[in-house]
């Protein structure tokens, strides 16, 4: 699927308390039934928000990952990884 599934699951972390608990307990198991590509799944499990952002994930929605401390992320690690992404003059990621 497209990166839409990543954006959707980030939003679900806010809305769905059971999904949030499942992501905190066992992210791999919680992600298993979702329609994610292997690259998306791997980046989520690694907490690689920089890669997800370069793939097109919404940075605002991804903020729910560290907010609820899932995928090994907290505010500090999220900020470090996002600041490492090079962007152009309008904020779009560049290679």
């Amino acid at each position: 699927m497209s990166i839409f599934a990543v954006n959707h699951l980030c939003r679900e972390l806010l809305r769905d308390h059971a999904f949030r608990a499942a992501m905190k307990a066992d992210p791999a198991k919680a992600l298993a039934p979702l329609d994610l590509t292997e690259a998306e799944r791997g980046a989520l499990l690694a907490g690689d928000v920089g890669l997800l952002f370069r793939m097109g994930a919404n940075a605002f929605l991804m903020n729910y990952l560290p907010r609820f401390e899932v995928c090994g992320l907290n505010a500090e690690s999220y900020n470090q990884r996002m600041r490492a992404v090079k962007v152009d003059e309008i904020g779009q990621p560049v290679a």
Side-chain angles (χ1 to χ4, degrees), residues 3-75:
I3 202 70
F4 174 82
V6 173
N7 290 331
H8 180 75
L9 84 83
C10 290
R11 188 177 130 256
E12 286 304 295
L13 284 172
L14 176 67
R15 299 173 37 133
D16 186 336
H17 297 261
F19 178 66
R20 184 186 320 153
M23 283 292 290
K24 287 177 87 65
D26 187 349
K29 185 176 178 182
L31 294 176
L34 302 181
D35 190 15
L36 299 166
T37 67
E38 287 306 311
E40 293 165 347
R41 188 178 316 280
L44 281 163
L45 292 173
D48 193 345
V49 290
L51 175 58
L52 290 167
F53 182 63
R54 289 190 302 276
M55 292 169 70
N58 183 286
F60 176 81
L61 293 174
M62 283 195 302
N63 263 308
Y64 294 127
L65 297 169
R67 178 178 176 182
F68 299 114
E69 296 186 345
V70 298
C71 298
L73 292 164
N74 57 33

